[in-house]
Amino acid sequence: MAERVIPLVDERMAVRTAVVPASTSAPSGELLDGLGRPLRDLRISVTDRCNFRCSYCMPKEVFDKNYRYLPHSDLLSFEEITRTARLFVRHGVRKIRLTGGEPLLRKNVENLVAQLAELRTPEGQPLDLTLTTNGSLLARKATALKAAGLKRATISLDGLDDAVFRSMNDVDFPVAEVLAGIEAAQAAGLSHIKVNMVVKRGTNEDQVLPMARHFRGTGVTLRFIEYMDVGVTNGWRMDEVLPSHELIERLRAELPLLPLAPTTAGETARRWGYADAQGRHDPGLGEIGVISSVTQAFCRDCNRARLSMEGRLYLCLFATEGWDLRSLLRSGANDEEVAAAVARIWRQRHDRYSELRASLPPSPDSSARRRIEMSYIGG
Ligand code: SAM
Ligand code: SF4
Ligand code: SF4
């Protein structure tokens, strides 16, 4: 009997055709969406595979041995990714983040980093090029990534307690190897290293203080992320969210923290600095960040676009449909045409899911059931 193929990805994700407008004009570098927001940040997911099974992202029950990952031919090549990224830079993108799935599982990902590191803004400046990883392969890859031109990295780590961490990644991966990856990244010379911790009430909230104590004064910025209702597979519940304001209260009961000003517009994290004995921010002790995607919407400044591994463009983390850029890239369209199609898509963007969340129906409606997964679009 022929193997039954469950087209989970395609069924769930509506895809729209990217259309080249009748008249095209060269990108001006200042493309605004329907709410006046510029395009500055491009997150590129390079693989839908991962060696972890974090229950909030790729639960084992769904991402099991029968799960159909995309075949290699469906993925954008490094050349296609770089071409697309170059056009986005002409539209105003200044920051590129590689993500996944687990980006370090994509074969020779350092070659892609090298190509992206060559890109320049219209002013001749390099991009802010970074990568988000679970850290499992970082000890092996950090030197090659740095040599290829990677500037910085964000490592996800949900706790210091080995048992808690092993259970959260759900593949029994030891915390010591991720910590070794973080050290390797520092030793390789990557700067501004961040650690992202997703906090789930009742699961790893007891890790918040140990994590803060561990990374204080190490040069690593720890950021706490509210557990989000992204995708459809994680069985998200509001009572498992630990609101950032509550988390900050808990931290401030033990550690002296004071609010810091944002460094850039559209910054997702609220910054808090460790204070010295005089109550002033001590840069030597560093800072932490809180990303309150659930309790404090930051859609107003959202300047992020997301490109999936198969070349679909998403305008919001909670989008239910993506735009098929791959067909356009492979159709023989020239750069001006692809850039014009992207401009047309961005100009009609009105997404602001987090702002609207509270007014949406409480139980998943049919559109929520089709939402993209975090492992597909990469955060
Ligand atoms: N595998 C890499 C990693 O874990 O860093 C990159 C991809 S992962 C999807 C990107 C980020 O999304 C990680 O920091 C992860 O913790 C975060 N994430 C995944 N699911 C989430 C959820 N439901 N709520 C909040 N953050 C989530
Ligand atoms: Fe993999 Fe990252 Fe998702 Fe965890 S959060 S399952 S490491 S993609
Ligand atoms: Fe941006 Fe969508 Fe998140 Fe709002 S909900 S901040 S529009 S990605």
Side-chain angles (χ1 to χ4, degrees):
M1 203 172 77
E3 194 184 359
R4 193 166 159 245
V5 176
I6 304 169
L8 195 55
V9 169
D10 291 337
E11 196 170 80
R12 223 176 26 215
M13 295 167 206
V15 65
R16 297 181 69 175
T17 307
V19 177
V20 180
S23 72
T24 62
S25 55
S28 69
E30 200 53 45
L31 184 61
L32 299 181
D33 75 1
L35 299 176
R37 298 170 294 189
L39 174 55
R40 294 277 180 262
D41 183 330
L42 180 64
R43 302 185 175 193
I44 305 173
S45 181
V46 294
T47 176
D48 56 345
R49 292 163 196 262
C50 187
N51 53 345
F52 283 13
R53 287 292 175 275
C54 308
S55 60
Y56 54 72
C57 178
M58 293 181 80
K60 254 183 184 162
E61 306 71 46
V62 178
F63 296 87
D64 59 10
K65 61 179 180 4
N66 297 318
Y67 187 81
R68 307 282 300 196
Y69 294 96
L70 294 168
H72 191 76
S73 57
D74 278 2
L75 306 186
L76 291 188
S77 67
F78 290 169
E79 288 67 30
E80 288 170 327
I81 293 175
T82 306
R83 179 184 177 205
T84 309
R86 185 179 295 114
L87 298 178
F88 273 78
V89 171
R90 289 177 61 196
H91 276 313
V93 161
R94 295 294 174 264
K95 179 171 168 183
I96 290 186
R97 175 179 298 279
L98 297 182
T99 177
E102 175 44 45
L104 300 190
L105 288 182
R106 178 86 187 249
K107 207 171 162 205
N108 300 325
V109 71
E110 57 278 14
N111 294 349
L112 174 62
V113 168
Q115 291 182 27
L116 295 172
E118 294 284 309
L119 297 180
R120 291 292 175 271
T121 69
E123 300 77 38
Q125 297 302 313
L127 301 174
D128 178 4
L129 181 60
T130 182
L131 171 147
T132 301
T133 170
N134 63 23
S136 58
L137 299 169
L138 202 50
R140 261 178 272 168
K141 292 254 185 188
T143 308
L145 289 165
K146 169 71 181 165
L150 190 71
K151 298 274 187 331
R152 40 194 205 92
T154 299
I155 297 109
S156 304
L157 177 63
D158 296 332
L160 279 182
D161 180 275
D162 198 46
V164 171
F165 183 65
R166 283 177 190 258
S167 124
M168 283 192 80
N169 63 54
D170 216 7
V171 292
D172 212 26
F173 197 87
V175 73
E177 287 193 37
V178 178
L179 293 174
I182 296 171
E183 278 173 30
Q186 286 182 302
L190 292 173
S191 61
H192 299 101
I193 292 179
K194 292 178 184 154
V195 166
N196 276 356
M197 172 178 176
V198 174
V199 185
K200 271 183 94 174
R201 201 196 278 277
T203 303
N204 63 340
E205 60 182 304
D206 63 340
Q207 296 299 299
V208 166
L209 262 165
M211 286 279 283
R213 286 190 209 109
H214 181 85
F215 288 109
R216 187 176 183 227
T218 61
V220 170
T221 299
L222 176 61
R223 305 192 310 170
F224 300 99
I225 307 181
E226 286 178 351
Y227 170 41
M228 272 189 283
D229 50 335
V230 65
V232 287
T233 59
N234 61 14
W236 181 88
R237 294 202 328 247
M238 185 65 204
D239 60 6
E240 288 183 314
V241 177
L242 181 70
S244 297
H245 67 86
E246 196 179 324
L247 182 142
I248 287 289
E249 269 171 40
R250 289 188 196 181
L251 285 176
R252 290 183 94 182
E254 182 176 321
L255 300 164
L257 285 164
L258 44 98
L260 300 179
T263 42
T264 52
E267 198 166 63
T268 49
R270 286 253 170 113
R271 303 168 57 220
W272 290 80
Y274 287 109
D276 60 17
Q278 284 72 44
R280 285 182 304 241
H281 174 46
D282 180 348
L285 292 175
E287 60 183 80
I288 60 154
V290 286
I291 304 183
S292 320
S293 336
V294 178
T295 60
Q296 268 187 329
F298 37 76
C299 302
R300 196 150 309 163
D301 297 323
C302 181
N303 51 21
R304 294 178 288 284
R306 296 173 163 87
L307 182 67
S308 79
M309 63 296 293
E310 53 179 336
R312 293 181 183 175
L313 180 64
Y314 289 86
L315 306 181
C316 176
L317 199 47
F318 299 90
T320 51
E321 58 185 17
W323 296 83
D324 177 16
L325 289 188
R326 189 185 64 196
S327 298
L328 192 59
L329 292 167
R330 294 183 181 174
S331 71
N334 65 33
D335 282 356
E336 297 309 321
E337 289 170 329
V338 178
V342 168
R344 188 171 180 270
I345 294 168
W346 187 259
R347 282 199 187 104
Q348 48 125 58
R349 173 184 189 245
H350 281 87
D351 300 73
R352 51 187 191 105
Y353 173 83
S354 287
E355 281 181 3
L356 301 176
R357 180 189 277 111
S359 58
L360 294 174
S363 58
D365 64 3
S366 57
S367 65
R369 280 200 294 277
R370 290 187 301 128
R371 257 192 238 146
I372 43 168
E373 293 296 323
M374 193 71 143
S375 55
Y376 177 79
I377 208 67

